[in-house]
Amino acid sequence: MTQAVDPVSDDIVTLQTHVLQEKRRHPDASGTLSWILSALSISAKIIAAQLRRARLENVLGAVGTENVQGEEQQKLDVIANTVLMRALGSREGVMVLASEEAEEPVVITENRGDDRGYCVLFDPLDGSSNLDVAGGVGTIFSILRHDRRSSRTEDSVLQPGDRQVAAGYVLYGSSTVLVLTTGEGVDMFVLDTSIGAFIRVERGLRIPESGRCYSLNEGNRRSFPAGYCAYLDWAQGNGYSSRYVGAMVADVHRTLLKGGVFMYPPTEKAPSGKLRLLYEANPMAMLIEQAGGQATDGQGRILEIQPTALHQRTPVILGSPAEVARVSEFLMPAPEAGAA
Ligand code: P6P
C-alpha cells in the first residue's frame, strides 16, 4: 500500500538518509551501491540545474552529430552523459558504465575475478527532443552486479533484467522527481532546490490495479500488429483516455501514479520496437513490477529477456496489471478454425 509521507508529522527523510537506512538493514552490504546511488543523486541535481537554465545559456538545440542510435544529439544529451560518466566513473566499485550515447560499454575497472563490482547502465537524457519545448525529459538508470563469469568485462552488462539490483529514473518536469527501487518496493523523492536535497514523499509506491488510460504514439497505428489495433478499438469503445508525452520517463511516471498502460509496439520503422532493452525497458520493468504492475514485450516478461547486444530494442507493454492483461488478450493469436 502506498504510504504517502505526511509533510507535518513524518520524519524528513532525504535520499541520503534513505540510502543509509537501507544500508543499515543490510549490514553485510559493502556500501558500494550506496556510493553509486549518491553519484546518481548528484548527477541528477547537476543535470536539473543545467536544464533549468538551458535556454538562458543557449545550450538547447542539436549538437549537429548523431549518437550510436543514429539519433540527432541534443547539446544537453552530451552534457548529461558527461556528468554521469564523470560522477559514476570515479566511484569505487563501478566496473562498467554503459550509456545510450556511447557505442560500447566503458570499462572502468578490469574484471578482478570477484563479483563485488557493479555495472551501471543509463539513458542520460531520455526524450531530449522535448527540451526545446520545455517538455518533460528524464534520466533512466539500471544497476547490475558485475558478472565475473563474463569472458570480457564489458559483456557483464548483457544480463537479464531480473538480475538488476536497483533501477530508477529522474523526471525533470514541473518538479524534479527521483523514483527508485533496490528490489524491496518503490520509493519516490522530490528535489527541494532550496536545500539541494531529494526528500522522500512516497514509500512503497503501488501502481493502481487498473486505469482507463493508454499511452502510445498512435501516429504509428498503420504499422502496428493487428492485435494492438484491436485493443485500441476496444479501448476507444470503452471510454479510455489517451495520454502521450513522447518521453518514456514522463509517460511511465504518469502510468505508475495514475494507472493505465504504456506501450511502444513494433512498427514498420522499428520492427523490434524503438525502446532499448538494457537502459530503458529493463529499469522501467523492474520499477513497475516492484510496484505491483506488469511489463511484457507482448510475448513474455521483459525482465526475462536474455540480452545479446547493448543497444538492442524491444516492444514494451507496461502498467496496471489489469490493463496489461487486457492488451495481452488482444495480442494472443486467434484460435485456429476448428481447433479443439
Ligand atoms: P516516438 C524518446 O525519443 C524515446 O526514446 C522515449 O523516451 C519515448 O517513449 C519514445 O522514444 C518516443 O518515440 O516515436 O513516439 O517519438
Side-chain angles (χ1 to χ4, degrees), residues 8 25 54 95 100 123 140 159 161 177 193 260 263 268 272 291 314:
V8 175
R25 292 186 329 110
M95 297 187 73
E100 184 207 36
D123 180 353
I140 310 172
Q159 299 179 54
V177 180
T193 52
M263 297 177 268
E268 190 175 325
S272 299
T314 177

Side-chain angles (χ1 to χ4, degrees), residues 71 100 123 125-130 136-138 140 215-220 244-252 262-264 267 269-270 274-276 280 313:
E71 293 169 345
E100 184 207 36
D123 180 353
L125 206 56
D126 168 70
S128 54
S129 53
N130 280 356
V137 294
I140 310 172
S215 178
L216 81 170
N217 184 342
E218 291 189 72
N220 298 320
Y244 192 67
V245 174
M248 186 184 196
V249 173
D251 285 317
V252 172
F262 167 80
M263 297 177 268
Y264 205 103
T267 66
K269 189 179 168 191
K274 176 183 179 184
L275 301 176
R276 275 61 55 136
E280 290 178 327
R313 302 170 189 264

